[in-house]
């Protein structure tokens, strides 16, 4: 187990190096630089050159790259050109919001998805099964930005129950925080609920047809007990795999949700960085997100072993 | 009995607390939240000419002279100016008792330091290019000596483009983007949370300029009647409108045409038309075929139906107008306008026949702003009628502007001229001097501009501008499709709001 962990952690290094190289390449390939955010179209090439020099963008790319790597090795991700603060603190300041949002959405998606999938599987072919699966398909097909706007129109504009956007820090006002997170969480979760429900249903159908389920039934155990005690744990592997994938996808979808609900999360930070060509922010942000992605993968793999004793971490 | 007593005590407590807050409710004050499209690249006014930035910074900082409602330069931090007979020395008399947000009084040392900083790092160096020296003459007088006469010097000093904001001297000593946000404006900076909001609050020690009786453009009497203003950045258009409709914000800086029409029918909102706000221009690349050929350029102009172009891109808020200044400007002229908005395919084909066009595909670049993409699409379909193939390349602003500032990779590039027409004819001309916009210098434009900037005679300036407009059409330097506006929306709680280029928060009150 310890060896496995160590091996996995070491294998992260080349991945991070590759990601950073690729992000450098992308930055060089896409035209435009941070001066575009500061200047309008009537600026002259001389104005642009002057600003480039002031922002330190006039150094050759290779020099910039070498400087960046030497800083990163000491844990310094550089300074954001637009925000004027270290990239790492910009990310760390925004991270709790995005992580909370993704975690809450994951919780809601797994909770509702597994419940709906199990419910449908135990009523295979019935009207209830078909209705739940139709709903799941609908959830899967709904574009999240559209669903977010729909929620805003209904719950903010029509009923006035919840804020239409903006963020209230948890420590400042817990109730306000909960209210500000509710609609974004639902929006982020809706696609994944459908995904998990369908996955759970098919995994449960496989399990239900197994001998040990019939044995449990013939012993006269109550139906719900059989499902929860014997069925679900055995259907967990595919559900866990999907959950792992979703956890990563949620970080990506969070960008859209943060945009719709005007939440200052990491997604918006990096999108803003890309749109304004804030190089240090793009570089640092991508590197940081990669680390989180890899961590999630590692956790899922460790959970495999915890859930299924047949999996050996060798 | 105990319960009844408790209830009585509670009711009494509630009443006293209501009485306690009542005066606060009735008094002027409150917070206005404005939904903005995006956050500013910087709050250091000297280093950005982005519209989103000046919407905020012009509440915090002030300039020696500022533009009034008609875009004329009028005194703001200065009491006035005297110009030497040779037109080379401008002596500004400063208003006394003007306080910075850090409590310090503004003196000539701050003005000198700020102008010097702008000369070093300001992003629109053309505004101060004519300056030779800036010197303090006593605590309340500043003399600016020019290298050569410049007819638009006061216009430049008062430009809101990337304003020559007056900072305290110690801030002006700092580098680009490194200052504390301290100005003399009616609002002082409180907080900036990137991707979320900027909050400003009323500057208690602000004394409105006694020379004015009322609000006037970016100058005039700036009396603040509210306590705070927050600019909240909501990039998604639907969410911005929803924020207004749910009461979370009181002002939206811009909405699209259909939304404006819907809100106009609801008495809870007031839709303000700010028209004209900008020019829509299609730049033509004279360095690349076939747009290097004047006959091809004329063919394009002749083919276009500007009514169609403007109505599709800026539904309900546009003017079909080919003048290179706004219609009410004293410089407005009809020179060359017989070549504008012809919508004549026969004439277009005639020009095309005389041109070197060989059937090649022409590249139209545009950023992803919806109206700009719409214009590219309309032009594409219109030109197809005369047999010109157009390929549209849409990218984000940094990519598009990068390509547009080079000689290759594009023939047409469309975007708004936002601040230029507001600044006046000098700035509009400057965009085409030295071939900046069209990539090949036009000697005639360069000559006209040079003479324009050197003369102080109003009649001569008007005559030169007429020549400029005529040349723009005769050589079809660039195509102006028309003027467009924007819809600012306030809810019924916002009183005394007068729409302008930036949503000004002075003079505005908020109903409880």
């Amino acid at each position: 187990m310890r060896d496995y962990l160590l091996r996995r952690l070491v294998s992260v290094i080349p991945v991070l190096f590759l990601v950073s190289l690729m992000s450098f390449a992308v930055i060089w390939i896409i035209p435009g630089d941070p001066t575009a955010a500061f200047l309008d179209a009537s600026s002259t090439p001389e104005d642009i050159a002057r600003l480039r020099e002031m922002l330190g963008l006039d150094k050759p790319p290779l020099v910039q790259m070498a400087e960046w790597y030497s800083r990163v090795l000491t844990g310094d991700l550089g300074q954001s050109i637009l925000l004027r603060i270290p990239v790492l603190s910009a990310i760390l300041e925004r991270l709790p919001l995005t992580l909370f949002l993704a975690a809450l959405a994951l919780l809601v998606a797994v909770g509702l998805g597994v419940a709906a999938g199990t419910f449908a599987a135990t009523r295979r072919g019935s009207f209830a099964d078909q209705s739940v699966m139709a709903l799941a398909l609908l959830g899967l097909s709904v574009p999240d930005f559209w669903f977010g706007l729909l929620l805003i129109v209904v719950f903010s504009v029509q009923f006035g129950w919840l804020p239409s956007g903006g963020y209230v820090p948890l420590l400042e006002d817990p109730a306000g925080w909960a209210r500000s997170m509710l609609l974004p969480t639902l929006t982020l979760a809706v696609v994944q609920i459908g995904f998990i429900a369908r996955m759970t249903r098919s995994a449960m159908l496989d399990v239900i047809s197994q001998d040990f389920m019939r044995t449990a039934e013939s012993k006269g155990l109550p139906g719900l007990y059989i499902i929860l005690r014997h069925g679900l744990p055995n259907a967990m592997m595919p559900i866990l795999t999907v959950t792992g994938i979703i956890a990563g996808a949620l970080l990506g979808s969070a960008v859209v949700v943060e945009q719709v609900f005007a939440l200052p999360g990491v997604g918006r930070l990096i999108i803003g960085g890309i749109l304004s060509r804030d190089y240090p922010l793009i570089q640092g942000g991508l590197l940081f997100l990669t680390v989180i992605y890899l961590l999630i993968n590692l956790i899922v793999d460790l959970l495999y072993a915890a859930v299924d004793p047949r999996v050996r971490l060798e | 009995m105990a319960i009844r007593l408790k209830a009585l005590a509670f009711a009494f407590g509630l009443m006293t607390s209501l009485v306690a807050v009542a005066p606060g409710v009735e008094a002027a004050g409150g917070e206005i939240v404005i939904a903005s499209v995006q956050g500013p690249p910087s709050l250091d006014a000297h280093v950005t000419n982005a519209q989103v930035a000046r919407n905020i910074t012009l509440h915090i900082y002030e300039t020696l002279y500022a533009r009034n409602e008609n875009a004329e330069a009028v005194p703001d931090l200065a009491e006035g100016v005297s110009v030497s007979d040779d037109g080379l020395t401008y002596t500004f008399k400063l208003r006394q008792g003007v306080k910075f947000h850090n409590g310090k009084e503004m003196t000539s040392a701050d003005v000198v330091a700020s102008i010097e900083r702008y000369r070093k790092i300001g992003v629109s160096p053309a505004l101060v290019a004519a300056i030779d020296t800036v010197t303090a003459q006593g605590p309340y007088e500043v003399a600016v000596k020019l290298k050569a006469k410049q007819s638009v010097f006061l216009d430049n000093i008062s430009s809101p483009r990337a304003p020559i904001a007056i900072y305290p001297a110690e801030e002006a000593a700092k580098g680009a983007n490194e200052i504390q946000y301290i100005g003399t404006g009616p609002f002082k900076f409180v907080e900036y949370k990137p991707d979320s909001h900027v909050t400003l609050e009323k500057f208690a020690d602000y004394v409105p300029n006694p020379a004015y009786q009322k609000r006037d453009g970016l100058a005039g009497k700036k009396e603040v009647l509210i306590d705070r203003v927050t600019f909240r950045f909501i990039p998604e258009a639907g969410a911005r409108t929803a924020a207004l409709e749910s009461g979370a914000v009181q002002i939206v800086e811009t909405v699209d045409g259909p939304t404006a029409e819907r809100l106009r029918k609801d008495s809870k909102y007031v839709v303000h038309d700010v028209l004209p706000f900008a020019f829509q221009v299609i730049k033509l690349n004279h360095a690349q075929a076939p747009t290097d050929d004047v006959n091809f350029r004329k063919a394009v102009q002749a083919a276009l139906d500007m009514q169609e172009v403007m109505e599709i891109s800026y539904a309900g808020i546009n003017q079909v107008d080919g003048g290179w200044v706004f219609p009410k400007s004293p410089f407005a002229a009809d020179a060359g306008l017989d070549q504008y908005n012809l919508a004549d395919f026969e004439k277009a084909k005639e020009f095309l026949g005389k041109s070197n066009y060989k059937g090649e595909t022409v590249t139209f670049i545009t950023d992803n702003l919806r109206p700009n993409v719409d214009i590219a699409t309309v032009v594409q379909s219109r030109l197809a009628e005369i047999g010109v193939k157009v390929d549209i390349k849409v990218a984000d602003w940094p990519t598009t502007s990068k390509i547009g500032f080079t000689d290759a990779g594009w023939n047409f590039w469309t975007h708004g001229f936002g601040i230029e027409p507001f600044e006046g004819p000098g700035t509009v001309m400057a965009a085409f001097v030295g071939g900046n916009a069209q990539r090949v210098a036009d000697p005639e434009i360069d000559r006209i501009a040079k003479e324009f900037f050197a003369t102080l005679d109003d009649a001569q300036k008007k005559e030169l501008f007429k020549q400029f407009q005529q040349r723009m059409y005769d050589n079809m330097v660039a195509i102006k499709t028309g003027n467009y506006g924007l819809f600012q929306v306030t809810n019924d709680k916002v009183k005394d709001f007068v729409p302008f280029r930036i949503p000004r928060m002075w003079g505005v009150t908020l109903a409880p």
Side-chain angles (χ1 to χ4, degrees):
Chain A
M1 172 76 177
R2 208 190 58 198
D3 285 353
Y4 173 80
L5 251 180
L6 212 66
R7 229 181 22 246
R8 283 292 298 265
L9 288 177
V10 170
S11 71
V12 159
I13 295 168
V15 175
L16 289 180
F17 181 68
L18 259 176
V19 167
S20 60
L21 266 189
M22 278 165 60
S23 55
F24 254 117
V26 167
I27 283 173
W28 285 337
I29 291 166
I30 51 170
D33 64 32
T35 55
F38 289 87
L39 300 174
D40 64 15
S42 58
S43 305
T44 63
E46 294 79 48
D47 299 348
I48 297 168
R50 217 163 95 115
L51 187 62
R52 278 178 64 85
E53 197 187 321
M54 268 164 17
L55 297 174
L57 298 164
D58 52 340
K59 293 178 192 160
L62 274 178
V63 174
Q64 289 186 36
M65 192 166 148
E67 283 179 1
W68 187 78
Y69 274 116
S70 61
R71 268 203 316 267
V72 166
L73 288 176
T74 64
D76 175 10
L77 292 181
Q79 171 117 356
S80 156
I81 293 171
L82 266 84
L83 306 179
R84 296 192 300 151
I85 53 173
V87 169
L88 192 63
S89 24
I91 294 171
L92 291 179
E93 195 184 311
R94 310 291 191 87
L95 195 65
L97 165 56
T98 306
L99 284 187
F100 260 125
L101 183 61
L104 285 174
L106 192 67
L107 216 66
V108 170
V110 171
L112 290 181
V114 168
T118 310
F119 175 82
T122 52
R123 286 159 183 77
R124 185 182 189 174
S126 69
F127 176 71
D129 175 23
Q130 282 168 2
S131 313
V132 170
M133 281 306 104
L135 269 178
L137 190 65
L138 191 71
L140 254 175
S141 326
V142 163
D144 39 16
F145 71 91
W146 179 84
F147 188 67
L149 286 175
L150 185 75
L151 291 182
I152 291 176
V153 167
V154 174
F155 292 103
S156 305
V157 178
Q158 216 61 37
F159 296 118
W161 293 340
L162 293 165
S164 61
Y167 180 61
V168 181
L170 173 62
L171 297 176
E172 235 170 63
D173 173 11
W177 174 81
R179 281 161 48 83
S180 72
M181 291 298 270
L182 197 58
L183 296 185
T185 304
L186 271 180
T187 307
L188 196 55
V190 69
V191 173
Q192 316 303 349
I193 295 173
F195 196 33
I196 293 183
R198 292 177 71 86
M199 200 66 206
T200 305
R201 179 179 178 274
S202 80
M204 279 300 284
L205 284 179
D206 278 351
V207 173
I208 284 171
S209 63
Q210 305 270 328
D211 288 345
F212 65 86
M213 292 294 280
R214 274 199 293 278
T215 310
E217 210 173 328
S218 62
K219 281 201 288 189
L221 293 171
L224 188 66
Y225 177 82
I226 300 171
I227 292 295
L228 293 180
R229 181 74 186 83
H230 299 290
L232 257 183
N234 282 291
M236 265 329 269
M237 283 297 270
I239 297 173
L240 203 58
T241 309
V242 170
T243 308
I245 297 169
I246 285 175
L250 281 176
L251 286 177
S253 308
V255 174
V256 178
V257 174
E258 286 169 11
Q259 195 84 346
V260 171
F261 290 94
L263 299 173
V266 172
R268 241 179 116 198
L269 178 76
I270 295 176
I271 288 293
I274 293 170
L275 289 179
S276 57
R277 306 286 193 270
D278 192 334
Y279 298 150
L281 195 55
I282 303 174
Q283 290 283 131
L286 289 182
L287 200 70
F288 201 88
L289 281 190
T290 311
V291 171
I292 292 189
Y293 235 86
L294 293 172
L295 267 180
I296 290 172
N297 264 308
L298 184 62
I299 292 170
V300 170
D301 285 354
L302 292 176
L303 280 177
Y304 277 158
V307 169
D308 191 338
R310 286 170 300 181
V311 175
R312 289 276 163 268
L313 297 178
E314 292 302 338
Chain B
M1 183 64 186
I3 292 172
R4 196 174 291 173
L5 265 178
K6 270 186 191 165
L8 267 172
F10 175 72
F12 180 74
L14 195 67
M15 277 170 65
T16 41
S17 65
L18 280 177
V19 170
V21 297
V25 170
E26 278 167 12
E31 177 177 16
I32 288 183
V33 184
I34 303 176
S36 301
V37 177
Q38 63 185 102
S42 171
L43 290 176
D44 180 347
H46 290 180
V47 304
T48 175
N49 55 27
Q51 170 78 27
V52 285
R54 72 177 82 100
N55 277 356
I56 301 171
T57 57
L58 289 172
H59 288 86
I60 309 174
Y61 313 111
E62 293 175 306
T63 45
L64 284 183
Y65 266 61
R67 297 301 184 93
N68 70 7
E69 214 81 15
N70 300 320
E72 294 151 340
V74 294
D76 195 15
L77 283 175
E79 228 171 59
V81 71
S82 58
V83 186
S84 62
D85 289 342
D86 60 3
L88 286 178
T89 306
Y90 286 68
T91 307
F92 292 95
K93 204 159 174 236
L94 304 182
R95 270 166 55 207
Q96 297 187 20
V98 174
K99 290 259 177 71
F100 281 112
H101 301 155
N102 61 5
K104 207 189 90 172
E105 193 196 358
M106 178 200 66
T107 64
S108 52
D110 305 305
V111 175
V112 171
S114 299
I115 296 177
E116 289 294 7
R117 180 181 196 260
Y118 201 94
R119 294 177 75 194
K120 256 187 255 143
I121 64 167
V123 287
S124 293
L127 297 181
V128 288
I131 297 178
D132 186 20
T133 57
V134 186
T135 42
Q137 298 182 337
Y140 301 109
E141 213 171 85
V142 173
V144 178
K145 196 161 183 300
L146 304 187
K147 293 171 199 156
K149 262 194 309 190
Q150 190 188 40
S151 65
V152 292
F153 180 67
L154 277 184
D155 291 347
N156 285 344
I157 277 285
S158 59
S159 168
R161 161 183 291 275
I164 306 168
I166 303 303
Y167 297 148
E170 58 276 16
E171 295 306 322
K174 295 178 183 170
N177 228 5
E178 287 167 1
I179 55 155
Q180 301 282 320
Y181 308 131
I182 297 170
T184 57
F187 286 88
K188 64 178 185 184
F189 172 80
V190 177
E191 179 182 52
Y192 177 23
K193 286 266 178 211
D195 285 338
S196 176
H197 63 271
V198 168
T199 302
L200 311 179
E201 81 182 14
K202 173 183 180 161
F203 175 38
D205 287 343
Y206 186 80
V207 181
N209 192 333
Y212 300 104
Q213 296 305 311
K214 58 182 180 64
R215 181 171 32 195
D216 191 8
L218 298 170
K221 183 181 178 189
K222 297 181 216 167
E223 188 183 20
V224 178
L225 302 162
I226 51 171
D227 295 329
R228 283 162 88 88
V229 53
T230 293
F231 295 83
R232 190 181 292 166
F233 318 132
I234 309 177
E236 167 52 46
R240 271 198 305 277
T241 314
L244 177 79
E245 292 181 283
S246 67
V249 309
Q250 290 79 44
I251 301 177
V252 178
E253 69 168 349
T254 176
V255 299
D256 59 30
T259 306
E261 287 320 301
R262 182 169 65 78
L263 295 176
R264 221 188 276 277
K265 291 185 192 119
D266 191 331
S267 62
K268 288 207 291 284
Y269 308 103
V270 185
V271 178
H272 309 266
D273 297 355
V274 185
L275 179 71
F277 178 77
F279 287 172
Q280 185 69 31
V281 174
I282 302 173
K283 288 182 180 172
L284 304 166
N285 184 358
H286 297 206
Q288 186 162 320
T291 32
D292 60 343
D293 185 331
V294 64
N295 281 314
F296 179 82
R297 301 199 293 263
K298 287 198 168 187
V300 175
Q301 168 75 283
L304 296 184
D305 176 349
M306 300 312 185
Q307 198 93 40
E308 177 190 59
V309 170
M310 293 311 291
E311 197 48 44
I312 286 176
S313 52
Y314 290 97
I317 189 118
N318 63 73
Q319 295 170 330
V320 174
D321 167 41
W324 281 93
V325 281
F326 285 144
K328 283 188 180 162
S329 161
F331 288 88
D334 53 10
L337 291 188
D338 52 333
Q339 299 176 61
Y340 171 76
N341 193 24
L342 301 179
D344 184 341
F345 286 136
E346 289 316 308
K347 194 151 200 154
K349 281 180 190 160
E350 214 176 287
F351 280 123
L352 199 62
K354 282 193 260 174
S355 78
N356 295 328
Y357 182 63
K358 298 181 197 72
E360 64 263 50
T361 301
V362 181
T363 306
F364 197 137
I365 59 166
T366 168
D367 64 304
N368 47 12
L369 202 70
R370 183 61 194 264
N372 291 342
V373 179
D374 286 343
I375 283 171
T377 314
V378 178
V379 171
Q380 183 187 42
S381 70
R382 194 83 188 167
L383 292 189
E385 299 280 338
I386 56 166
V388 173
K389 280 179 274 180
V390 176
D391 183 23
I392 301 174
K393 286 204 169 121
V394 184
D396 63 0
W397 174 250
T399 303
T400 308
S401 59
K402 182 81 180 175
I403 298 169
F405 278 125
T406 61
D407 293 350
W410 68 283
N411 294 100
F412 303 139
W413 174 19
T414 191
H415 61 76
F417 267 39
I419 196 73
E420 294 84 352
F422 177 76
E423 284 186 299
T427 315
V428 172
M429 281 188 208
F432 300 96
V433 168
N436 188 28
Q438 71 275 28
R439 311 310 305 162
V440 174
D442 183 320
E444 184 64 2
I445 298 263
D446 291 358
R447 174 197 64 83
I448 296 168
K450 199 174 164 200
E451 285 177 29
F452 183 92
F453 289 125
T455 180
L456 297 179
D457 183 87
D458 279 349
Q460 203 182 346
K461 276 165 76 177
K462 277 184 195 164
E463 169 55 30
L464 284 162
F465 184 75
K466 225 161 97 180
Q467 291 177 22
F468 166 79
Q469 186 166 303
Q470 187 69 49
R471 177 65 182 172
M472 287 300 280
Y473 280 98
D474 288 348
N475 196 31
M476 207 50 70
V477 180
I479 294 174
K480 188 194 157 193
T481 63
N483 305 327
Y484 66 85
L486 56 83
F487 300 106
Q488 292 172 346
V489 188
T490 55
N491 73 8
D492 56 358
K493 295 233 178 341
V494 178
K495 306 290 178 199
D496 308 313
F497 176 82
V498 178
F500 197 59
R501 294 192 68 77
I502 74 156
R504 298 164 301 178
M505 286 301 105
W506 51 89
V508 176
T509 53
L510 193 60

